[in-house]
């Protein structure tokens, strides 16, 4: 090992930084002076390393593909287990439904139950959200030959939406359940208590006039009541939600803010009909 004197080591340490800076500037000057040479050297290095990269990348890609395949197989195994469990549960529900259907048929035959009248169904597209006199109503476009009567019930794919209030030759207007003019007799499904669902022009109608001692419970399902032959019993409406102010409201199943198609049902009811939007005088004969 060569021993250097202290003054020599100090001189070398002072010269190291200027030498490195000079080399850096020299490299930059060479690159600026002959860029073609530098590019050739860089590409030659890249050509030399490319086969090495390719050889190294093959096992890495194979390992990555194997891990992805293993994750997919594990996910498929979990999905198959879930589907088998769901299938077993559906088979149990099917057996229970068949048993209840047979029991229901037997009870109906023993009690001589009169079957309900068959109902008809029409589908119409919502073309406008113009309520006219009403704040919450939609306009339906009717195909030629489609007959809709005033008072028929409108539902979307999830639940009750409203009732037909006006009918023209090619259009009809449906008063939504959220309009302040809407009053619907409903039943609280768990307690079987009757109430009135009143529209507020907001997103959630309110519950009113339920019997004393049968306070609506949070999350309780609300269905239509057959009172006054206005609606058939059992149509899905929504669930009870209590506000912070202590008001019982109904969170509707129907998505009234995104109505596209409505199903118009004729249940053959002749109860109270909704009022006309605009009163029209009867024509008088000439004297």
């Amino acid at each position: 090992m060569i021993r250097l004197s202290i003054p020599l080591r100090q001189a070398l340490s002072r010269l190291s930084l200027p030498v490195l800076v000079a080399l850096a500037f020299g490299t930059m000057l060479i690159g600026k002076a002959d860029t073609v040479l530098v590019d050739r050297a860089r590409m030659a290095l890249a050509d030399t390393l490319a086969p090495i990269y390719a050889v190294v990348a093959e096992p890495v890609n194979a390992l990555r593909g194997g891990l992805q395949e293993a994750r997919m197989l594990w996910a498929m195994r979990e999905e198959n287990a879930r589907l088998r469990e769901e299938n077993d549960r559906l088979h149990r529900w099917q057996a229970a439904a068949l048993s209840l259907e047979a029991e229901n048929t037997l009870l109906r035959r023993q009690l001589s139950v009169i079957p309900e009248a068959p109902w008809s169904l029409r589908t119409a597209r919502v073309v406008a959200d113009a309520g006219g006199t009403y704040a919450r109503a939609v306009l339906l476009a009717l195909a030629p030959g489609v007959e809709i009567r005033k008072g028929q019930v409108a539902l979307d794919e999830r639940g009750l939406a409203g009732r037909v209030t006006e009918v023209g030759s090619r259009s009809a207007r449906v008063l939504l359940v959220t309009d302040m003019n809407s009053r619907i007799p409903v039943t609280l499904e768990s307690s079987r208590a009757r109430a009135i669902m009143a529209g507020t022009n907001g997103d959630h109608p309110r519950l009113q006039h339920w019997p004393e001692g049968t306070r609506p419970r949070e999350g309780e399902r609300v269905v239509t009541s057959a009172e006054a032959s206005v609606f058939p019993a059992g149509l899905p409406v929504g669930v009870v939600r209590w506000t912070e102010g202590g008001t019982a409201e109904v969170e509707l199943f129907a998505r009234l803010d995104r109505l596209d198609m409505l199903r118009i049902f004729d249940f053959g009811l002749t109860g109270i009909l909704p009022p006309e939007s605009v009163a029209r005088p009867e024509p008088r004969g000439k004297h």
Side-chain angles (χ1 to χ4, degrees):
M1 182 175 179
I2 302 176
R3 295 180 175 275
L4 300 176
S5 62
I6 295 176
L8 183 59
R9 287 201 300 269
Q10 292 177 350
L12 290 175
S13 62
R14 285 194 297 268
L15 291 174
S16 59
L17 180 60
V19 170
L20 292 175
V21 172
L23 289 175
F25 274 105
T27 304
M28 293 173 59
L29 291 175
I30 292 174
K32 292 292 184 181
D34 195 352
T35 56
V36 177
L37 179 62
V38 174
D39 291 339
R40 287 179 179 177
R42 186 168 60 250
M43 291 306 300
L45 181 62
D47 292 340
T48 304
L49 295 179
I52 300 175
Y53 290 155
V55 172
V56 174
E58 288 184 2
V60 172
N61 293 333
L63 179 60
R64 185 182 296 112
L67 292 176
Q68 186 175 2
E69 190 73 19
R71 285 195 296 268
M72 292 178 61
L73 291 175
W74 184 260
M76 291 177 61
R77 180 180 179 182
E78 293 181 347
E79 182 70 11
N80 287 336
R82 186 186 66 80
L83 290 176
R84 282 194 296 268
E85 181 182 356
E86 184 176 346
N87 193 33
D88 293 339
R89 186 166 62 252
L90 289 176
H91 278 301
R92 292 194 297 270
W93 278 110
Q94 183 185 25
L98 292 174
S99 176
L100 290 174
E101 183 182 9
E103 181 181 358
N104 191 26
T105 303
L106 177 62
L107 292 174
R108 285 176 176 271
R109 187 164 53 248
Q110 290 178 348
L111 297 174
S112 300
V113 175
I114 300 175
E116 296 180 356
W119 41 263
S120 62
L121 165 65
R122 297 288 186 272
T123 301
R125 182 175 296 278
V126 177
V127 294
D129 192 12
T133 302
Y134 301 121
R136 295 296 181 98
V138 292
L139 190 67
L140 306 180
L142 304 182
V146 175
E147 294 185 0
I148 290 181
R149 293 188 299 105
K150 180 181 174 183
Q152 291 180 345
V153 181
L155 293 90
D156 70 353
E157 69 277 7
R158 298 166 63 91
L160 180 65
R163 293 186 78 195
V164 177
T165 57
E166 296 175 84
V167 178
S169 59
R170 299 294 298 273
S171 64
R173 178 168 282 113
V174 172
L175 176 68
L176 300 179
V177 296
T178 52
D179 190 272
M180 65 180 302
N181 296 286
S182 174
R183 298 291 186 274
I184 298 174
V186 295
T187 300
L188 304 177
E189 199 171 51
S190 299
S191 63
R192 308 308 301 173
R194 303 290 195 270
I196 296 295
M197 186 179 73
T200 61
N201 286 351
D203 294 332
H204 301 97
R206 294 179 180 176
L207 285 177
Q208 299 175 350
H209 310 303
W210 60 82
E212 187 176 357
T214 56
R215 187 175 187 268
R217 292 184 299 177
E218 177 77 15
E220 187 174 8
R221 276 173 54 92
V222 179
V223 296
T224 56
S225 170
E227 295 290 335
S229 298
V230 178
F231 291 90
L235 295 180
V237 178
V239 294
V240 177
R241 291 287 183 262
W242 283 92
T243 65
E244 295 181 357
T247 302
E249 295 184 342
V250 178
E251 183 177 338
L252 299 172
F253 291 140
R255 297 178 177 178
L256 302 185
D257 58 337
R258 56 185 71 178
L259 290 177
D260 184 37
M261 301 288 292
L262 281 177
R263 297 174 297 169
I264 309 300
F265 289 85
D266 184 4
F267 294 102
L269 301 175
T270 57
I272 302 172
L273 296 178
E276 289 284 356
S277 171
V278 179
R280 296 178 176 85
E282 293 293 334
R284 297 181 179 178
K286 295 182 179 180
H287 297 287

